[in-house]
Amino acid sequence: REGISDDVRRETHLRIGRRLAEQGEDRLFEAARHLGIGAYQLADDERIQFVDVLRRAARKARAQASFPLAFEYCRNGLSLLGESRWATHFPLTRELQLDAAEAALLVGDAEALHGLLDEAEEVLTEPADRARLAYLRLKGRVAQNRLQEALETGLWALEELGEPLPRDAGKPRMVNAMAKINLTTRRWATERLLQLPHCQDRRVIEIQRILDELRSISYILRPNLFPLIVRKQLNLTLTNGHTPSSPTVLASCGLLLVMMGDHAGSQRFGEAGLLLTERPEFPDARPETLFYYLNFIHHWRHPTRDGLGQLRDAVEEALDQGDGEYAGWLAAVLLSHSFVLGRPLPEIDALAQSLVPEIRSQPVPTAVCQAMQQSCLNLMGRSEDPLLLAGESGYDEREVLPAARQEG
């Protein structure tokens, strides 16, 4: 390659990319790689045609959990569109910008994620787009373990979208929400729930995504908000139909029914959520739905040991889908259930050693897993102070607890 000018090199990549693009989906990734290098000097029509190749390649890579590749193709596509892309090719730019932001989130590149979102916020004004941007920024804050900021981001977005929630909620509001959920769930048979139509309102779909994240954060930071969020999600679902969030909404109702002592109802709603995840339109919700079901619902009607195999499978499934957050939480449940069931401590330590590297991009569930692992190590005598959770797992309560208190 020495002695070859940049122009000749780009022309060679372009020629190869053209040939590969003509060969269809089987050579899509190879075509995208060459076009991402060689297509910059083309006339507008052909350049846009090759941007579409990159867009399709990014979607295919995302579906195959090749997230770094998806991110690279999105960025190359945006570069090919040029600096004036928002003015000249708005629909394609919008699509690639949002896909690139999602890919940046999946690869853990927070700086790139927020840069892409900042740029998009300057031009996207539709309520559904604003909701999508808020959801991605919220997810980015969660991945950075900035939960208070994530919570405030989500609450502010809901207010802007006309679905406000209180910043906090007293016990009367919480009890009222739980009572209404209890009454509503008794009126809706499982078959009727499953037969709801699909929601066609993009704004509602994105609002449900935001509420999904706020529900998880509120469980940790502001538990009194949790029933209010679930009630709003249930009402939106029953009014507008199923969204990609529906399985987790039903499983969350199951969690609240457990708290109210209705174990049969909780099982029914948890299983209804799982039934939805078996449909082709709900695959992304499966890891979180399994987390709610296996952590909060399953063991009230079935032996806990029967869920260990499901938990192992659920962790692998979440990792395959690129859902590092719920792969982490499912791993934490698997470790804690293994401990409660009396599995050998060295076995739990080995399990943690295999799981933690897979979820390290998610600081909160990683810390929970490491705490469980360190508890086992302390009991095995592999710590300097058996009363201090700190050691070879990487967990140190002297660092984690002050940081958690500061975060709230």
Side-chain angles (χ1 to χ4, degrees), residues 167 196 342:
R167 286 300 193 266
L196 282 169

Side-chain angles (χ1 to χ4, degrees), residues 111-378:
E111 183 179 352
L113 168 65
H114 292 298
L116 288 160
L117 295 178
D118 288 342
E119 179 185 328
E121 281 181 347
E122 295 292 324
V123 290
L124 296 181
T125 58
E126 288 292 322
D129 288 336
R130 302 293 295 180
R132 178 87 178 276
L133 295 174
Y135 166 75
L136 290 169
R137 195 177 294 281
L138 189 163
K139 289 283 285 186
R141 298 300 187 208
V142 171
Q144 293 174 286
N145 198 22
R146 294 159 65 175
L147 299 185
Q148 287 284 6
E149 287 184 44
L151 183 65
E152 292 303 321
T153 297
L155 291 173
W156 174 85
L158 289 177
E159 192 168 321
E160 183 183 12
L161 292 162
E163 293 288 347
L165 281 170
R167 286 300 193 266
D168 209 337
K171 285 187 178 180
R173 271 184 166 177
M174 180 183 72
V175 171
N176 180 264
M178 292 178 71
K180 289 185 175 180
I181 288 171
N182 191 26
L183 288 172
T184 302
T185 56
R186 291 175 184 274
R187 292 199 299 264
W188 281 77
T190 301
E191 294 75 15
R192 191 178 170 203
L193 285 169
L194 297 176
Q195 290 169 6
L196 282 169
H198 287 284
C199 176
Q200 302 300 319
D201 188 332
R202 283 184 55 235
R203 172 182 166 276
V204 172
I205 292 170
E206 297 299 339
I207 286 172
Q208 287 279 40
R209 290 185 197 273
I210 293 171
L211 288 166
D212 264 353
E213 287 300 313
L214 289 182
R215 187 184 64 232
S216 301
I217 299 168
S218 71
Y219 188 84
I220 298 171
L221 294 183
R222 299 183 195 172
N224 284 9
L225 271 181
F226 187 90
L228 278 70
I229 294 171
V230 176
R231 181 192 166 200
K232 183 179 283 287
Q233 287 198 283
L234 182 61
N235 288 345
L236 285 170
T237 301
L238 299 180
T239 302
N240 298 279
H242 284 310
T243 71
S245 304
S246 292
T248 63
V249 175
L250 298 185
S252 299
C253 289
L255 187 162
L256 289 174
L257 291 171
V258 165
M259 295 170 63
M260 290 182 272
D262 183 359
H263 296 157
S266 71
Q267 190 74 28
R268 182 168 70 87
F269 267 73
E271 290 177 352
L274 288 177
L275 284 172
L276 281 182
T277 66
E278 294 174 3
R279 297 180 181 178
E281 60 267 39
F282 297 109
D284 291 344
R286 187 165 175 80
E288 186 177 356
T289 306
L290 281 166
F291 168 74
Y292 281 115
Y293 180 72
L294 294 172
N295 192 32
F296 299 108
I297 298 170
H298 174 267
H299 55 269
W300 289 101
R301 287 286 176 119
H302 307 282
T304 303
R305 71 176 69 86
D306 291 352
L308 289 183
Q310 286 179 276
L311 281 165
R312 289 176 185 271
D313 293 342
V315 173
E316 292 299 322
E317 191 175 341
L319 289 171
D320 288 343
Q321 287 186 207
D323 191 341
E325 181 182 357
Y326 276 93
W329 288 119
L330 286 161
V333 177
L334 174 58
L335 292 172
S336 64
H337 283 194
S338 298
F339 182 82
V340 168
L341 288 168
R343 301 300 302 168
L345 298 178
E347 178 185 307
I348 300 173
D349 174 42
L351 182 60
Q353 288 183 48
S354 70
L355 291 173
V356 168
E358 300 287 346
I359 61 166
R360 205 172 288 278
S361 64
Q362 302 294 324
V364 179
T366 294
V368 175
C369 290
Q370 289 175 323
M372 187 73 261
Q373 181 185 9
Q374 191 60 51
S375 299
C376 294
L377 293 170
N378 282 23

Side-chain angles (χ1 to χ4, degrees), residues 7 10-11 14 37-44 46-47 80:
D7 287 343
R10 279 194 292 269
E11 180 60 34
L14 176 58
I37 298 171
Y40 285 89
Q41 305 301 322
L42 293 174
D44 194 59
E46 190 175 19
R47 191 158 40 85
L80 278 183

Side-chain angles (χ1 to χ4, degrees), residues 3-15 38:
I4 299 176
S5 70
D6 288 344
D7 287 343
V8 171
R9 185 172 63 87
R10 279 194 292 269
E11 180 60 34
T12 302
H13 281 292
L14 176 58
R15 188 167 60 251

